[in-house]
Amino acid sequence: MAVKIDKNICDGCPDYNQGRCERICPGSLISKQGKKAKIIRPEECWDCAACVKACPRNAISLYLPEEVGGRGTELKVQQKNKRSIWIFDREDGSRKVYKTG
Amino acid sequence: MKKEVLKTDLLIVGGGAAGSYAAVTARREDPELDITVIEKAHIDRSGCLAAGINAINAYLNPGETPGSYLHYVKDDSYGLVRDDLVYSIGQGLNRVTEEVESWGLEILKDEDGNYLKRSSRSIKINGENFKPILARKVRKSRIRILNKTAALNYIVQDNRVCGVFALNLKEDKFYTIKAKVVICTTGGAAGIYKPNNRGQAKHKMWYPPFNTGAGYAMGIRAGAEMTTFEMRFVALRVKDVIAPTGSFAFAGGRQINSQGEEYLKKFSRITTSLRLFATVEENRKGRGPCYLDLGHLDLDKKEKLARSLLGMCPGMVLKWEDQDLDLSELKVEIEGTEPYIVGGHCQSGYWIDSNRRTTLPGLYAAGDVAGGAPKKYVTGAFVEGEIAARSAVEELKKLPQNFLELNITELIANEYNRVSSFLNREEGLEAEVLEDKLQQIMEIYAGGRSQYYRLEAEKLLMARRKLNELKAETVNLKADTSRELLAVQEVIERIEVAEVLVEHLLYRKETRWPGYQSRVDFPDRKKEWRKFVNSRLRTENNELEIIERKYKSLGDYAAFKDYDQADFYLEYNL
């Protein structure tokens, strides 16, 4: 799995019958189970980050799997007024931010 | 599974680049038409543009013409393309680019306000939101969009395509969608070969793993003529994260082997497939790994590169940040991906006429699923979507009003029973099991990465036998949910595409496209093979028939009889 959903932050999009991530995932790999979104077929993920961008609570992040040498840095994206803010949080607590758009 | 029957005038199967553009064009051509797009995922982030894209790679910068575009594409494809299709794409590239800019796509500009050139046929864009922009335009065009709806099979009556059967994942619904005319824009096929990585990084692949060849497989089953499956596409990409090497090209990167040697210099003529082939050969001969050496990269350039990559391949930047790499001297490892079947980079797909009409009445095709025109990329898919939509609307005008009064009760029952037979089984095979077997067969016997993409008759015959056995196992597949049912359908699609692919690979007894189609037993390019290898399933006896089609230069096509483009390729005498 190269995408993780923080269960403590995810609120399952209570105003919708489908989670925003569940709706947008191009592989239909996410499913709302109870009040939380869950990745049902993690190994099929394409890393497109559509769910990361769609999550209204920023509960989803992209990371590099161990199979390709990942060290735990997490990427989150916030989209505001056609601009994207890309936040990289490393394991050691350091952070790098890029802005695009 | 609930059943529902829908009727529409024009049905577009697949809401990616080609499908979205076709939908908008059809609405513009006819304000009254009932138009439906079905989309396996969600139109906001589906198809090849899900993550975004940072350049338009088929655009004619000043000095380029449709003729020079055809020249380039034909040269790069070793003389074998459909000149009429490629040229007509060239005629529309700049128009569709300006059109999508007016929809909200941000194209970067130079100081004089001209599009920022990346190379002679490429411009830079801020395309992270490209797909949402297209989707918004489709919605504004009053189109019915059925998301999470995957096409299963065409409805064919009296030899005409009259709609599709489809599965809706969200509502567990079996759709019968009757349509007067259908445009297929489902994309190409990934997942036929074993992916580069394993486990959770399995789909760090270049092409969307959700493009499983649905449109190819539906066409094959219905007896459509298909072309050039044997020209597989293998992308040369940055290892592990599969970022496109083109994004690094601005810095003038040199391809070097482990000894620092610029190995492309050994070749007098460089094509896209040769860049890959040369890299694979360096590895095979023990001079790998190979790198793209960008030399010194100052901080400003590095930041620019990172921002550009975020709008297309965020995983690349994630890797840099994760590993805290010092990028002042940037040298990235490059390798080939697993092979894909894709009409937008290579030319596998439906055999179509200049109006993008397939050989099946009532069915048009555009984008990656349509054959004969390599290097069309996103903008070429738009042009094809536009041409297909215009042709479809023309045909619709001529059809009688009561055209959809079909009596297909039996066809509906048959397809419903076929699909539901996989559900509610106590025992059976999971789709993943057969997918692994398929990828293993293709990897070893049909020229996968570990075989350096090399092909030979004995192994291909083995692949044919093994695929035959594998196909027989598909009746034992099982699914507990509609998502699993989709996975069952997808693995069947992939197996059927693989079967046709192997027949095409066996038939072409030369090596035309090194790396994409390298025959160990027929290593040379031969003049007499400058022809198309097509195939068609004879539905009466379920046998695949191979059909050879001649190469024709542009002026030989009726629509372009006044265009005298000399067949420059003859100078290579191949």
Side-chain angles (χ1 to χ4, degrees):
Chain A
M1 153 176 40
V3 153
K4 60 174 101 167
I5 302 173
D6 189 332
K7 278 187 199 153
N8 299 320
I9 306 177
C10 172
D11 64 358
C13 295
D15 300 335
Y16 300 92
N17 69 350
Q18 262 194 319
R20 307 323 277 157
C21 54
E22 180 182 15
R23 172 177 164 273
I24 205 74
C25 173
S28 302
L29 307 175
I30 305 178
S31 168
K32 190 150 95 175
Q33 298 186 348
K35 287 181 181 168
K36 304 281 175 192
K38 188 169 179 270
I39 304 171
I40 45 172
R41 300 176 79 202
E43 70 289 352
E44 300 290 321
C45 173
W46 189 37
D47 291 343
C48 71
C51 57
V52 178
K53 294 167 192 168
C55 178
R57 295 184 51 88
N58 282 309
I60 312 182
S61 55
L62 201 65
Y63 71 97
L64 213 56
E66 277 176 33
E67 285 89 338
V68 286
R71 295 183 195 167
T73 304
E74 292 186 15
L75 165 62
K76 290 191 178 180
V77 193
Q78 293 172 5
Q79 292 197 306
K80 278 176 199 157
N81 308 325
K82 290 186 179 177
R83 285 179 71 80
S84 299
I85 302 163
W86 308 76
I87 304 160
F88 296 84
D89 280 318
R90 297 200 189 89
E91 284 250 280
D92 62 7
S94 65
R95 171 178 273 198
K96 169 84 188 178
V97 178
Y98 290 96
K99 289 178 184 164
T100 60
Chain B
M1 251 189 326
K2 290 170 279 186
K3 287 190 214 173
E4 188 175 331
V5 179
L6 283 179
K7 281 186 183 182
T8 188
D9 294 326
L10 175 63
L11 174 66
I12 297 165
V13 185
S20 294
Y21 209 94
V24 174
T25 305
R27 169 57 71 234
R28 190 179 296 158
E29 296 286 308
D30 186 342
E32 304 302 323
L33 214 56
D34 186 276
I35 307 168
T36 304
V37 174
I38 63 169
E39 166 53 58
K40 178 155 93 171
H42 188 285
I43 194 166
D44 276 353
R45 290 279 178 193
S46 62
C48 302
L49 295 177
I53 192 164
N54 58 17
I56 283 178
N57 290 322
Y59 177 82
L60 309 180
N61 278 308
E64 295 291 325
T65 62
S68 70
Y69 171 70
L70 170 59
H71 189 291
Y72 161 70
V73 175
K74 186 155 55 168
D75 186 46
D76 203 69
S77 310
Y78 294 90
L80 186 62
V81 294
R82 278 280 301 275
D83 283 29
D84 59 331
L85 302 179
V86 177
Y87 191 89
S88 66
I89 287 171
Q91 289 176 310
L93 290 173
N94 290 17
R95 188 182 60 248
V96 298
T97 304
E98 283 154 27
E99 179 72 33
V100 292
E101 186 183 27
S102 78
W103 299 354
L105 176 71
E106 190 191 343
I107 303 179
L108 304 188
K109 306 270 171 61
D110 63 17
E111 288 141 9
D112 302 323
N114 301 315
Y115 290 161
L116 195 60
K117 195 169 152 177
R118 201 170 82 162
S119 69
S120 46
R121 284 167 306 274
S122 174
I123 52 174
K124 291 186 177 189
I125 65 169
N126 256 337
E128 191 271 310
N129 276 321
F130 205 160
K131 195 68 218 298
I133 289 166
L134 292 181
R136 192 175 62 210
K137 184 69 184 177
V138 175
R139 273 194 287 271
K140 275 191 187 166
S141 305
R142 293 176 291 114
I143 310 276
R144 182 188 302 113
I145 304 168
L146 299 178
N147 286 311
K148 303 278 176 196
T149 304
L152 303 166
N153 267 307
Y154 292 125
I155 302 170
V156 183
Q157 206 187 31
D158 300 330
N159 202 32
R160 187 186 166 91
V161 172
C162 310
V164 300
F165 296 112
L167 174 71
N168 180 287
L169 295 178
K170 197 178 146 200
E171 297 165 50
D172 271 333
K173 202 184 275 174
F174 175 84
Y175 272 123
T176 300
I177 307 174
K178 298 178 182 176
K180 292 178 181 170
V181 176
V182 177
I183 302 176
C184 181
T185 50
T186 51
I192 309 281
Y193 286 83
K194 208 167 157 181
N196 282 30
N197 296 300
R198 296 171 61 97
Q200 295 176 356
K202 178 172 131 186
H203 282 160
K204 288 210 166 287
M205 57 166 70
W206 164 80
Y207 200 62
F210 319 118
N211 284 17
T212 51
Y216 292 144
M218 293 198 301
I220 291 164
R221 283 176 218 133
E225 187 171 331
M226 295 287 172
T227 190
T228 323
F229 270 39
E230 73 278 15
M231 187 187 184
R232 306 173 299 167
F233 181 63
V234 178
L236 188 62
R237 289 296 183 261
V238 177
K239 191 176 180 300
D240 296 339
V241 288
I242 318 297
T245 49
S247 294
F248 299 83
F250 76 93
R254 301 173 310 140
Q255 277 180 233
I256 53 168
N257 63 19
S258 59
Q259 290 139 36
E261 190 188 357
E262 278 191 71
Y263 54 88
L264 286 177
K265 287 194 169 161
K266 295 177 205 164
F267 299 89
S268 58
R269 182 168 169 238
I270 312 279
T271 60
T272 311
S273 69
L274 194 110
R275 281 175 206 280
L276 164 83
F277 174 73
T279 307
V280 173
E281 283 296 282
E282 290 305 307
N283 276 308
R284 193 169 71 88
K285 292 177 177 160
R287 294 191 292 266
C290 296
Y291 300 91
L292 194 65
D293 184 2
L294 297 167
H296 180 73
L297 205 63
D298 59 38
L299 195 66
D300 182 48
K301 249 190 176 171
K302 181 203 151 188
E303 293 258 331
K304 251 190 195 163
L305 177 61
R307 282 200 300 274
S308 155
L309 282 167
L310 282 170
M312 175 168 190
C313 187
M316 180 78 230
V317 187
L318 179 58
K319 182 170 181 173
W320 291 348
E321 296 301 335
D322 188 66
Q323 325 266 291
D324 209 7
L325 297 178
D326 169 24
L327 297 175
S328 56
E329 300 294 329
L330 187 61
K331 206 168 88 167
V332 288
E333 196 177 332
I334 52 176
E335 63 175 8
T337 61
E338 71 274 25
Y340 307 101
I341 306 302
V342 48
H345 283 250
C346 286
Q347 52 179 323
S348 322
Y350 283 91
W351 184 248
I352 48 178
D353 69 10
S354 58
N355 295 316
R356 271 60 183 178
R357 195 192 322 250
T358 71
T359 56
L360 297 178
L363 181 68
Y364 295 77
D368 280 354
V369 85
K375 297 188 165 285
K376 64 178 99 146
Y377 309 138
V378 179
T379 37
F382 291 159
V383 178
E384 286 205 321
E386 182 180 51
I387 298 172
R390 283 190 179 146
S391 314
V393 171
E394 275 306 302
E395 183 174 345
L396 275 163
K397 285 182 190 157
K398 295 175 199 151
L399 294 173
Q401 281 296 316
N402 63 352
F403 191 72
L404 283 182
E405 286 167 17
L406 308 167
N407 185 6
I408 53 168
T409 322
E410 197 184 331
L411 288 181
I412 298 175
N414 289 349
E415 180 66 358
Y416 182 82
N417 292 341
R418 180 191 73 84
V419 174
S420 43
S421 74
F422 298 113
L423 288 165
N424 310 319
R425 278 189 179 169
E426 295 221 342
E427 281 180 28
L429 290 166
E430 308 227 339
E432 289 82 357
V433 176
L434 292 199
E435 187 183 315
D436 279 353
K437 282 191 183 180
L438 164 70
Q439 292 173 349
Q440 191 67 20
I441 296 168
M442 297 304 285
E443 177 69 22
I444 303 299
Y445 301 107
R449 272 176 72 239
S450 62
Q451 307 299 308
Y452 303 99
Y453 309 108
R454 286 148 62 97
L455 305 153
E456 55 193 295
E458 277 309 308
K459 287 187 179 172
L460 288 167
L461 289 169
M462 185 75 97
R464 177 198 273 171
R465 277 195 293 279
K466 287 180 178 282
L467 286 176
N468 207 5
E469 290 163 18
L470 188 66
K471 180 109 175 253
E473 286 191 69
T474 58
V475 294
N476 300 321
L477 284 162
K478 79 182 265 276
D480 293 334
T481 63
S482 56
R483 180 64 187 82
E484 284 178 21
L485 188 54
L486 177 63
V488 163
Q489 180 72 13
E490 289 176 334
V491 77
I492 296 172
E493 285 160 5
R494 284 171 162 142
I495 292 170
E496 288 172 345
V497 170
E499 284 184 316
V500 173
L501 169 60
V502 165
E503 296 308 318
H504 278 247
L505 289 171
L506 266 167
Y507 195 82
R508 184 174 288 281
K509 293 176 183 64
E510 63 155 357
T511 293
R512 180 144 299 256
W513 306 282
Y516 300 167
Q517 185 262 335
S518 292
R519 282 291 295 257
V520 180
D521 39 3
F522 299 99
D524 301 318
R525 194 168 303 113
K526 294 178 193 153
K527 198 175 176 179
E528 64 271 25
W529 278 97
R530 192 189 182 193
K531 59 188 169 188
F532 295 98
V533 174
N534 289 5
S535 62
R536 183 175 77 94
L537 191 74
R538 298 180 71 93
T539 43
E540 61 275 18
N541 60 5
N542 231 22
E543 277 179 18
L544 197 77
E545 169 191 28
I546 297 285
I547 305 159
E548 292 186 3
R549 299 272 182 204
K550 277 187 193 143
Y551 163 78
K552 293 199 281 185
S553 63
L554 189 63
D556 293 337
Y557 290 94
F560 298 100
K561 60 181 187 309
D562 300 330
Y563 293 73
D564 182 26
Q565 222 207 15
D567 186 11
F568 69 92
Y569 195 77
L570 289 174
E571 74 195 57
Y572 297 113
N573 199 29
L574 288 169

